[in-house]
Amino acid sequence: MAVIALNARCEPRQLTGRLLTGAGLALLPWMGYMAATMPPAKAAAWIALDALEAACLVLAGTRLARGSGGHHTAAAGAAALLLVDATTDLLTAAPGAELALAVAMAVAAEIPLAALCAVLARQPRTETVVSGAR
């Protein structure tokens, strides 16, 4: 059983990895909410997009937090999908409360997270040295 110390210091890489993983996991209940409140055809499209976002965020986050490398492609995918999500939300939202929510989500979550993922995707790749290999 793993024990997580809440006051343990984390490297920035680990903290960023946890942030991405948490964001990906936070999409799961959101997908359930959409499935319960939207017409089925519309819900299926949004759930598919959010499922892809969640998969990319969790994959990038867990690889980054572990320091195992290989987060670049998943981070690039997450950045692109988050921008598509924000753009589509803004273009399809009805005026009023729905548009205000789309703007709030884009400004507070989707665009900053996409920017972070884009920066991570552009980081130089470092080769992992395998013990005993020459």
Side-chain angles (χ1 to χ4, degrees):
M1 172 184 269
V3 177
I4 299 173
L6 295 178
N7 62 351
R9 293 185 188 248
C10 292
E11 293 180 31
R13 169 187 55 79
Q14 291 174 318
L15 205 51
T16 303
R18 289 179 183 182
L19 172 73
L20 295 178
T21 302
L25 294 175
L27 286 171
L28 299 177
W30 178 248
M31 289 186 273
Y33 171 77
M34 287 191 298
T37 60
M38 296 174 85
K42 191 173 179 181
W46 284 110
I47 290 169
L49 177 60
D50 284 350
L52 290 170
E53 285 174 24
C56 287
L57 288 167
V58 169
L59 182 60
T62 54
R63 287 185 172 185
L64 187 63
R66 280 192 230 139
S68 60
H71 64 275
H72 301 89
T73 303
L81 290 165
L82 285 160
L83 290 176
V84 167
D85 193 342
T87 302
T88 307
D89 281 343
L90 292 169
L91 293 175
T92 61
E98 191 176 319
L99 180 58
L101 179 61
V103 169
M105 288 176 62
V107 170
E110 294 162 337
I111 294 172
L113 199 53
L116 173 61
C117 288
V119 167
L120 291 170
R122 297 273 304 149
Q123 286 180 335
R125 285 173 164 57
T126 56
E127 292 186 34
T128 305
V129 178
V130 178
S131 298
R134 294 182 193 240

